[in-house]
Amino acid sequence: MILTSLILAASPALVPPPISDLYAIRARRAEIGNGEVLEHAVILVEDGKIVTIGEDLPIERGIPVIDLDDEYTLMPGLVNAYSRTGLSSQGYSDSRPYIKASFEVGLGASFKSAREAGVTTLGLYPAGRGIPGQAVAVHTAGGSDPILADSVYLKAIVANNSTAKRYIRDGFEKADENAKKEAANKEKYDKAKEKAEKEKDKDKKKAALDKLGEYEPHEPDPRGQVFQDMRDKKLSALFDLDDAAGYLHLIDALGKEKIDWALRLTLSQESNFYEVAEKIGETECRVMVGPFLTLHPGTLRQRNMPAELARAGAKLVFIPRNDSTGAHQTWLRDVGTMVAAGLDRSAAIQAMTLEPAKLMGVDDRVGSIEVGKDANFLIVNGDPFETATEVEAVIIHGDVVHGEIH
Amino acid sequence: MTTLRKLLLPALALGLFTFTAPTFASGLFQDDEAKDEAQDEESEDGEAAADEDEGDKTFVIQGADIHTGTGAVLRGATLIAVNGKIDEIGYDLALPEDAEILDATGFRLYPGLVAVSSIGLFGGGSPIEDTVDPFSRTMTLAVAGGITSTVQGSEVAKLKRGHIKDIVIGSRPLQSMSYSKSSPAGKRSLREKFDGAAAYIREYKQWELDVRSNKDLKEPKKSGVDSGALSVLLGQARALFNADDRTDLLEIAKLAQRYEFRPVIDGCREGWTVAADLGRAGATAIITPRERRSQDESIMAEGGSSIENAAILYASGVDIAIIPGTKGVSLDGIAGRDIMHLPIEAAFAIRGGLPEDAALAAITTVPARLLGVSHRVGRIEVGMDADFIVTDGDVLHYATFVQWAVIDGEIIYDKEDEMYFAHIRPRPVTELAPVDPVDAGEADADVVEPPADEESDDEDADEEPGDEPDGSGDGEDGDDGGTASR
């Protein structure tokens, strides 16, 4: 906290108004992030964490209070779980699931553009095709330690070609091989040890045992290890699909493997994901999509794929239209368009806050306004989904990192 | 004559080989029918196993004129498919409970069409099950054209929209070969391959006899024997030649008779000039009736293409398969020449004199046989896969549309649900739309109603199922009423 403040203070571009370690925010209307709206909300922030939250709570004298204008909305800082903001390196084009985007996140990475658009948490994925590797979750306040959690998901691209399926099947096969080799290794060691134990001559026995030493596990194949981690639920997968057929091929490739996974659907002009929307909905998985209205193939009939998926039972996770600064700035407005076109409003709010946080497994810290979570807020001057609404201020860890609060 | 030959050849083969070497015959020298039976048994076993796991999936289509593809037509009959296989065909059948029922009264039911070659209907990748796009426009349009099975690359598969599993039903059915006057060296080489393969088979059979008395004898070496020629001589694959020229056709006929195999000839445009020779050689011709070829004026004999080609060849005992000139779905240029107009292409052979049943066979049973999948598709028969199309008229008529396509007892295409042809002569929704799974008695309750007034009839049809919870008792009455109303 102190470190963050120091660095922010040192940066001339940002002039964070000094707020005390303990303060309260009073808002006429607060979107909690879990779909609920709190009227006349009072939120107490201490040391960058949310400590109390309630409706019309009395505030102790002496605690500084930020009173938001009546038309303002307070909401959790947005979470974009799929971005390359601040990263630049080239990726590989094959299967390297052990590569981590966190390697690329250095001191220099700047998340300013995202932060100013109200995005307080980013999921950074490794570049590349095939299975490029594992994503990392960061906060966008800047500073020397932006990482919230590493290995938040494995990105894997599943086009409907045999290569993509092979990568997935190979990964699990390698995990099997690892387990087999490890078992063989252990058995070999145990047998040798048993033999040594049986030795009657004490000196010889000791020498043999010394020679054997402690058990050293077999060095696992790193590719297989990643897939084993997924089986052990230490890692989840985010599968990139570009058409409905890809979903069937993914399910086929996974076979009986039980892993945690989410989907990222690339919506193009004539996406046909509606063909599998019911099936996807049944799994109740998280589905990451951009805020796009598509056309029914061959027609000019609009389809709201995100809304259709949400209705079918999928949990939506929105990402901006693309990874540019502009798309981050219009993100709320773009999602507003989807709401205007029939998407459930509460699902839309969650899809930009709590759901992406859950997807990355960082919902214990970010994604909603709840006691114990980081004090990451976005303050907008109206309904967040109205076209004219603009970002007034962004707060991360209790500090105003963008905009001003009167 | 064709039938006679068909019966004779396997019989001869069986007699010869089973006598000398029973074990060999059941494996390597397996003939088509034996294979059919073996596979039927397998699939039945598989079904039985599946039955125990979960309930039967039953699909019923009633009221359609069933064109079985074997010559018979059952007017207004009922077809019951259980777990993707045709279980019963006939009249007054007891409908299982929880069956999905499609009322197709007034429509015709044909076997799903089989395209003997195709490009890009599955997406073009290999293997099909790892690359197919079962939602593609191409696949939908091909199914709208009536095709339910075809071959891509070396795999024979079903155009089962929405599915990627269990769609491949065969592989490597045809062995491509070249035997043309343009390459004398190639001709010699092919003859040598057949000589080698024939010699190997002779040696192998001799060894099988000898090894009984002398166990030390070594099996003849297979190395150096052309696997393609061997598979053709063993009847495991059909030899496919691409030839149009009459001289080439004559040469192929001679080659086939010399080595005793039945050639498949793709193109065969001058086939009508040498039809008798091709017939004697037991050839099957894959024909595009609309394709033209000009006569070689330097040759005195008849030549060039003829619209009567298919008819003349057929009359000489040549099996005819028909395929359009464009093997993929084409949305450019003049419509009606690509694979989604397979029945239209067959209709052009009728124009040239081919009997209508032969034209239908040319896009169902004959290609199914060529692709080695005739034990599963191409005919409407008990035990076959429940793959069929329901049309609003003669499938070979240009005005006809496929209304529904069914694969493995599942509706995978409904004209009214796809945007391509739904607007053309829309189906009357109230009477003929597929109804939800209902009790057998209730389904018949619709039929019993005397058609007094169109409107009130419709209303009754809507309300009846809900009003009569104990429909099972009325089941028999319903059947009678249904028959009477026809």
Side-chain angles (χ1 to χ4, degrees), chain A residues 354 357-368 370 373:
Chain A
L354 191 56
K358 281 183 175 170
L359 180 125
M360 297 193 288
V362 291
D363 53 312
D364 56 332
R365 287 195 58 184
V366 301
S368 62
E370 279 175 76
K373 289 197 180 183

Side-chain angles (χ1 to χ4, degrees), chain A residues 137 181 289 334 337:
Chain A
K181 280 182 183 161
V289 283
D334 293 337
T337 314

Side-chain angles (χ1 to χ4, degrees), chain B residues 110-132:
Chain B
Y110 291 93
L113 307 185
V114 183
V116 78
S117 66
S118 77
I119 294 170
L121 301 191
F122 297 96
S126 168
I128 286 176
E129 288 194 349
D130 277 352
T131 55
V132 60

Side-chain angles (χ1 to χ4, degrees), chain A residues 181-199:
Chain A
K181 280 182 183 161
E182 171 60 25
N185 195 35
K186 184 84 172 48
E187 196 185 326
K188 196 177 156 195
Y189 176 85
D190 288 346
K191 270 190 183 167
K193 195 171 178 186
E194 201 179 316
K195 200 181 162 195
E197 298 269 356
K198 277 182 187 165
E199 186 69 52

Side-chain angles (χ1 to χ4, degrees), chain A residues 160-162 165 169 243-245 248-249 252 270 272 275-276 279 296-299, chain B residues 126-137 161-165 418-420:
Chain A
N160 60 340
N161 61 49
S162 46
K165 288 177 94 169
R169 286 172 178 153
D243 64 3
L248 299 188
H249 287 293
D252 183 34
E270 297 195 340
N272 64 351
E275 299 272 16
V276 288
K279 281 187 181 137
H296 186 79
T299 69
Chain B
S126 168
I128 286 176
E129 288 194 349
D130 277 352
T131 55
V132 60
D133 180 355
F135 303 112
S136 72
R137 178 163 63 182
R161 297 178 65 228
H163 296 263
I164 62 167
K165 298 292 281 177
E418 310 294 332
M419 58 172 206
Y420 303 106

Side-chain angles (χ1 to χ4, degrees), chain A residues 166-380:
Chain A
R166 202 180 62 231
Y167 285 154
I168 294 173
R169 286 172 178 153
D170 279 1
F172 286 116
E173 269 168 31
K174 286 212 168 72
D176 287 340
E177 276 171 31
N178 278 348
K180 231 181 255 172
K181 280 182 183 161
E182 171 60 25
N185 195 35
K186 184 84 172 48
E187 196 185 326
K188 196 177 156 195
Y189 176 85
D190 288 346
K191 270 190 183 167
K193 195 171 178 186
E194 201 179 316
K195 200 181 162 195
E197 298 269 356
K198 277 182 187 165
E199 186 69 52
K200 280 171 189 167
D201 184 33
K202 274 191 178 176
D203 288 344
K204 271 189 185 173
K205 181 178 174 180
K206 190 169 182 298
L209 280 175
D210 283 350
K211 197 184 166 197
L212 215 54
E214 283 295 301
Y215 174 68
E216 278 179 27
H218 177 74
E219 183 75 25
D221 175 274
R223 281 189 178 84
Q225 188 57 47
V226 172
F227 281 80
Q228 188 58 48
D229 286 349
M230 289 206 287
R231 277 181 180 163
D232 298 341
K233 312 270 171 146
K234 289 179 196 161
L235 181 66
S236 68
L238 178 69
F239 295 112
D240 256 37
L241 305 176
D242 56 12
D243 64 3
Y247 178 72
L248 299 188
H249 287 293
L250 168 67
I251 297 303
D252 183 34
L254 287 177
K256 286 177 182 161
E257 299 289 348
K258 295 261 182 287
I259 63 166
D260 290 332
W261 50 267
L263 303 174
R264 188 177 80 90
L265 311 182
T266 312
L267 297 183
S268 59
Q269 178 90 337
E270 297 195 340
S271 281
N272 64 351
F273 286 111
Y274 55 86
E275 299 272 16
V276 288
E278 288 297 322
K279 281 187 181 137
I280 292 176
E282 276 167 25
T283 68
E284 295 180 7
C285 66
R286 291 202 170 75
V287 177
M288 191 185 268
V289 283
F292 294 105
L293 291 171
T294 56
L295 297 178
H296 186 79
T299 69
L300 292 176
R301 208 168 81 218
Q302 267 188 347
R303 291 195 86 130
N304 189 339
M305 275 321 303
E308 286 181 42
L309 286 160
R311 274 198 290 273
K315 299 187 192 100
L316 280 191
V317 174
F318 269 122
I319 54 175
R321 297 172 77 90
N322 55 51
D323 216 12
S324 69
T325 306
H328 277 88
Q329 281 164 355
T330 60
W331 192 20
L332 271 171
R333 207 174 304 160
D334 293 337
V335 173
T337 314
M338 308 305 290
V339 174
L343 174 63
D344 178 54
R345 185 193 158 91
S346 128
I349 291 278
Q350 293 179 68
M352 304 177 78
T353 52
L354 191 56
E355 287 300 334
K358 281 183 175 170
L359 180 125
M360 297 193 288
V362 291
D363 53 312
D364 56 332
R365 287 195 58 184
V366 301
S368 62
I369 302 177
E370 279 175 76
V371 172
K373 289 197 180 183
D374 291 3
N376 293 357
F377 305 117
L378 167 61
I379 297 160
V380 293

Side-chain angles (χ1 to χ4, degrees), chain B residues 121-394:
Chain B
L121 301 191
F122 297 96
S126 168
I128 286 176
E129 288 194 349
D130 277 352
T131 55
V132 60
D133 180 355
F135 303 112
S136 72
R137 178 163 63 182
T138 348
M139 186 180 284
T140 308
L141 287 173
V143 174
I147 303 170
T148 57
S149 297
T150 186
V151 58
Q152 177 181 284
S154 61
E155 294 172 279
V156 185
K158 294 188 183 184
L159 296 165
K160 196 172 176 187
R161 297 178 65 228
H163 296 263
I164 62 167
K165 298 292 281 177
D166 302 325
I167 55 170
V168 174
I169 53 174
S171 68
R172 297 206 176 280
L174 296 168
Q175 185 69 44
S176 232
M177 294 183 166
S178 169
Y179 199 68
S180 160
K181 64 182 177 185
S182 62
S183 166
K187 284 175 76 175
R188 193 170 59 244
S189 156
L190 185 64
R191 279 197 304 270
E192 282 166 7
K193 283 175 185 169
F194 275 117
D195 281 335
Y200 168 77
I201 292 173
R202 271 197 307 276
E203 281 169 28
Y204 194 97
K205 278 192 283 193
Q206 189 59 46
W207 169 79
E208 277 212 322
L209 284 177
D210 294 347
V211 81
R212 293 180 186 176
S213 48
N214 181 359
K215 283 185 179 168
D216 297 336
L217 280 179
K218 280 187 182 163
E219 194 180 319
K221 279 183 185 165
K222 213 173 182 177
S223 64
V225 181
D226 184 73
S227 61
L230 188 61
S231 65
V232 167
L233 293 191
L234 289 177
Q236 292 164 342
R238 298 280 301 267
L240 174 70
F241 298 88
N242 205 316
D244 288 310
D245 184 272
R246 68 173 266 143
T247 324
D248 284 348
L249 295 175
L250 281 172
E251 289 288 310
I252 290 165
K254 264 193 225 164
L255 181 82
Q257 280 179 299
R258 177 167 162 194
Y259 293 102
E260 296 175 345
F261 66 87
R262 298 179 58 201
V264 180
I265 301 169
D266 189 4
C268 207
R269 273 179 251 188
E270 289 186 345
W272 62 280
T273 64
V274 291
D277 298 77
L278 294 175
R280 272 196 294 277
T284 301
I286 301 173
I287 283 177
T288 304
R290 266 186 285 184
E291 262 179 355
R292 295 211 181 96
R293 174 190 169 93
S294 55
Q295 183 175 6
D296 184 351
E297 300 293 348
S298 64
I299 295 174
M300 289 297 287
E302 278 182 311
S305 54
S306 164
I307 189 71
E308 292 178 285
N309 193 16
I312 294 172
L313 283 167
Y314 179 76
S316 302
V318 176
D319 279 351
I320 306 291
I322 288 173
I323 192 78
T326 304
K327 309 290 190 292
V329 168
S330 163
L331 300 173
D332 302 320
I334 293 176
R337 296 173 173 182
D338 63 338
I339 197 139
M340 61 180 289
H341 296 90
L342 179 61
I344 302 286
E345 196 67 49
F348 272 87
I350 299 174
R351 187 184 180 89
L354 186 69
E356 290 196 21
D357 58 346
L360 181 61
I363 51 176
T364 52
T365 47
V366 175
R369 216 155 49 222
L370 281 184
L371 300 179
V373 291
S374 57
H375 59 293
R376 291 189 59 178
V377 303
R379 284 166 293 152
I380 303 291
E381 250 174 50
V382 170
M384 304 278 283
D385 290 7
D387 294 5
F388 47 82
I389 53 175
V390 181
T391 65
D392 52 7
D394 189 335

